[in-house]
Amino acid sequence: MDKRLLRKLIYTRVDAVLEILGYVFLLGSFLIAVAACATGTMVVEKFDKAGNVIKYGPPAILFLMPASMLFCNLLFSLVLHLSNPGTWWNMPFKPRPGREIVLYRDIVRMQTVMELLFGSYTLGFNIILYRGYGDAITPLTTVFTVAVLGDIVGMLVISARHNRAG
Protein backbone atom coordinates (compact mmCIF):
# COMPACT_ATOMS: atom_id res chain seq x y z
CA MET A 1 0.00 0.00 0.00
CA ASP A 2 1.18 3.52 -0.80
CA LYS A 3 2.63 5.37 2.23
CA ARG A 4 0.59 8.51 1.62
CA LEU A 5 -2.66 6.56 1.36
CA LEU A 6 -1.79 4.61 4.51
CA ARG A 7 -1.16 7.84 6.42
CA LYS A 8 -4.48 9.29 5.24
CA LEU A 9 -6.29 6.19 6.41
CA ILE A 10 -4.76 6.04 9.88
CA TYR A 11 -4.38 9.73 10.82
CA THR A 12 -7.88 11.14 11.36
CA ARG A 13 -9.14 14.67 11.99
CA VAL A 14 -9.62 13.85 15.66
CA ASP A 15 -5.94 12.92 15.86
CA ALA A 16 -5.00 16.20 14.18
CA VAL A 17 -7.08 18.16 16.69
CA LEU A 18 -5.54 16.28 19.64
CA GLU A 19 -2.05 16.91 18.32
CA ILE A 20 -2.70 20.61 17.69
CA LEU A 21 -4.21 21.03 21.17
CA GLY A 22 -1.08 19.50 22.69
CA TYR A 23 1.02 22.11 20.91
CA VAL A 24 -1.38 24.90 21.91
CA PHE A 25 -0.97 23.92 25.57
CA LEU A 26 2.80 23.92 25.12
CA LEU A 27 2.59 27.37 23.55
CA GLY A 28 0.62 28.51 26.59
CA SER A 29 3.39 27.16 28.81
CA PHE A 30 5.98 29.13 26.87
CA LEU A 31 3.82 32.26 27.11
CA ILE A 32 3.66 31.89 30.90
CA ALA A 33 7.46 31.63 30.97
CA VAL A 34 7.81 34.69 28.76
CA ALA A 35 5.37 36.65 30.96
CA ALA A 36 7.30 35.65 34.07
CA CYS A 37 10.57 36.78 32.49
CA ALA A 38 9.00 40.06 31.39
CA THR A 39 7.87 40.86 34.93
CA GLY A 40 11.18 39.71 36.40
CA THR A 41 9.59 38.24 39.51
CA MET A 42 11.19 35.27 41.17
CA VAL A 43 9.30 32.02 40.78
CA VAL A 44 9.17 28.97 42.98
CA GLU A 45 11.99 26.58 42.17
CA LYS A 46 11.56 23.95 44.89
CA PHE A 47 8.83 22.72 47.21
CA ASP A 48 9.03 20.34 50.15
CA LYS A 49 6.77 17.28 50.42
CA ALA A 50 4.06 19.32 52.12
CA GLY A 51 4.01 21.87 49.30
CA ASN A 52 5.82 24.63 51.16
CA VAL A 53 8.24 26.80 49.22
CA ILE A 54 11.89 25.93 49.84
CA LYS A 55 13.63 28.01 47.21
CA TYR A 56 12.85 30.75 44.71
CA GLY A 57 14.66 31.02 41.40
CA PRO A 58 14.83 33.07 38.23
CA PRO A 59 11.74 33.10 35.99
CA ALA A 60 13.75 31.54 33.15
CA ILE A 61 13.44 28.22 34.96
CA LEU A 62 9.88 28.09 33.62
CA PHE A 63 11.31 27.35 30.15
CA LEU A 64 12.77 23.98 31.21
CA MET A 65 9.58 21.91 31.29
CA PRO A 66 8.03 23.30 28.07
CA ALA A 67 11.33 22.85 26.21
CA SER A 68 11.70 19.23 27.27
CA MET A 69 8.05 18.40 26.57
CA LEU A 70 8.23 20.16 23.21
CA PHE A 71 11.13 17.87 22.37
CA CYS A 72 9.03 14.84 23.39
CA ASN A 73 6.02 15.98 21.35
CA LEU A 74 8.20 16.68 18.32
CA LEU A 75 9.59 13.15 18.55
CA PHE A 76 6.05 11.77 18.68
CA SER A 77 5.11 13.89 15.66
CA LEU A 78 8.15 12.71 13.72
CA VAL A 79 7.21 9.10 14.36
CA LEU A 80 3.60 9.73 13.39
CA HIS A 81 4.25 11.68 10.23
CA LEU A 82 7.54 10.44 8.84
CA SER A 83 7.83 6.76 9.68
CA ASN A 84 6.24 3.82 7.93
CA PRO A 85 3.90 2.07 10.40
CA GLY A 86 4.28 -1.36 8.83
CA THR A 87 8.03 -1.52 9.19
CA TRP A 88 9.03 0.94 11.92
CA TRP A 89 6.31 0.70 14.57
CA ASN A 90 6.65 -1.76 17.40
CA MET A 91 3.37 -3.51 18.12
CA PRO A 92 2.84 -5.78 21.12
CA PHE A 93 1.34 -8.38 18.80
CA LYS A 94 1.35 -9.22 15.12
CA PRO A 95 -1.52 -7.55 13.24
CA ARG A 96 -3.89 -9.98 11.60
CA PRO A 97 -4.24 -9.57 7.84
CA GLY A 98 -6.85 -6.96 7.01
CA ARG A 99 -6.76 -5.38 10.49
CA GLU A 100 -3.64 -3.26 10.04
CA ILE A 101 -5.42 0.06 9.36
CA VAL A 102 -7.59 -0.21 12.48
CA LEU A 103 -4.63 -1.18 14.66
CA TYR A 104 -2.43 1.61 13.35
CA ARG A 105 -5.28 4.04 13.95
CA ASP A 106 -5.43 2.89 17.58
CA ILE A 107 -1.69 3.45 18.02
CA VAL A 108 -1.91 6.89 16.41
CA ARG A 109 -4.74 7.79 18.78
CA MET A 110 -2.65 6.63 21.73
CA GLN A 111 0.26 8.83 20.63
CA THR A 112 -1.84 11.92 19.94
CA VAL A 113 -3.58 11.61 23.31
CA MET A 114 -0.14 11.41 24.93
CA GLU A 115 0.91 14.59 23.11
CA LEU A 116 -2.21 16.28 24.48
CA LEU A 117 -1.45 14.99 27.99
CA PHE A 118 2.16 16.19 27.81
CA GLY A 119 1.03 19.65 26.73
CA SER A 120 -1.69 19.96 29.37
CA TYR A 121 0.61 18.69 32.14
CA THR A 122 3.27 21.20 31.14
CA LEU A 123 0.78 24.04 31.17
CA GLY A 124 -0.50 23.00 34.60
CA PHE A 125 3.03 22.59 35.92
CA ASN A 126 4.07 26.06 34.76
CA ILE A 127 0.96 27.61 36.26
CA ILE A 128 1.72 25.90 39.57
CA LEU A 129 5.32 27.12 39.60
CA TYR A 130 4.39 30.63 38.51
CA ARG A 131 1.63 30.97 41.08
CA GLY A 132 3.47 29.08 43.85
CA TYR A 133 0.82 26.41 44.46
CA GLY A 134 3.19 23.77 45.82
CA ASP A 135 0.48 21.54 47.26
CA ALA A 136 -0.95 21.04 43.76
CA ILE A 137 2.17 19.45 42.22
CA THR A 138 1.65 15.98 43.67
CA PRO A 139 -2.01 15.68 42.61
CA LEU A 140 -1.22 17.08 39.15
CA THR A 141 1.65 14.65 38.65
CA THR A 142 -0.43 11.74 39.95
CA VAL A 143 -3.29 12.53 37.59
CA PHE A 144 -0.85 12.92 34.69
CA THR A 145 0.86 9.60 35.42
CA VAL A 146 -2.44 7.74 35.77
CA ALA A 147 -3.74 9.36 32.57
CA VAL A 148 -0.66 8.39 30.54
CA LEU A 149 -0.67 4.83 31.87
CA GLY A 150 -4.42 4.62 31.32
CA ASP A 151 -3.99 5.82 27.75
CA ILE A 152 -1.28 3.25 27.02
CA VAL A 153 -3.03 0.30 28.66
CA GLY A 154 -6.46 1.29 27.39
CA MET A 155 -5.38 1.68 23.78
CA LEU A 156 -3.40 -1.55 23.86
CA VAL A 157 -6.46 -3.41 25.16
CA ILE A 158 -8.63 -1.78 22.50
CA SER A 159 -6.15 -2.60 19.74
CA ALA A 160 -5.92 -6.21 20.97
CA ARG A 161 -9.72 -6.43 20.72
CA HIS A 162 -9.64 -4.91 17.26
CA ASN A 163 -7.00 -7.42 16.23
CA ARG A 164 -9.16 -10.35 17.39
CA ALA A 165 -12.39 -8.91 15.95
CA GLY A 166 -11.23 -9.37 12.35
Side-chain angles (χ1 to χ4, degrees):
M1 180 178 290
D2 180 35
K3 287 182 190 179
R4 296 181 86 197
L5 176 61
L6 182 62
R7 279 195 221 319
K8 281 185 179 183
L9 291 174
I10 64 174
Y11 188 78
T12 65
R13 287 185 181 145
V14 172
D15 298 317
V17 168
L18 291 172
E19 193 171 19
I20 290 168
L21 278 175
Y23 284 106
V24 167
F25 288 146
L26 282 173
L27 177 64
S29 300
F30 277 109
L31 291 177
I32 288 172
V34 168
C37 286
T39 60
T41 58
M42 300 295 277
V43 296
V44 177
E45 189 175 327
K46 287 186 180 179
F47 297 100
D48 64 7
K49 290 182 181 181
N52 301 316
V53 176
I54 295 175
K55 182 179 176 186
Y56 286 92
I61 201 157
L62 291 177
F63 284 106
L64 292 176
M65 179 70 88
S68 63
M69 290 300 197
L70 177 63
F71 178 73
C72 292
N73 275 10
L74 288 172
L75 284 178
F76 273 121
S77 292
L78 284 173
V79 168
L80 284 177
H81 299 292
L82 299 180
S83 69
N84 185 5
T87 56
W88 286 87
W89 289 10
N90 233 352
M91 301 283 284
F93 43 79
K94 184 175 174 145
R96 291 175 67 188
R99 303 302 299 163
E100 294 92 353
I101 301 296
V102 175
L103 296 178
Y104 295 150
R105 230 181 246 164
D106 291 341
I107 300 304
V108 166
R109 181 64 46 89
M110 178 179 70
Q111 288 182 326
T112 55
V113 167
M114 273 198 268
E115 286 185 48
L116 175 67
L117 290 172
F118 287 179
S120 59
Y121 174 71
T122 304
L123 180 62
F125 189 84
N126 265 12
I127 290 170
I128 287 170
L129 285 185
Y130 183 67
R131 302 289 293 173
Y133 300 142
D135 53 347
I137 285 203
T138 301
L140 176 71
T141 304
T142 303
V143 168
F144 169 71
T145 304
V146 168
V148 169
L149 290 174
D151 176 44
I152 293 168
V153 171
M155 290 312 293
L156 289 178
V157 167
I158 288 170
S159 62
R161 284 187 189 159
H162 285 160
N163 197 33
R164 284 192 304 256

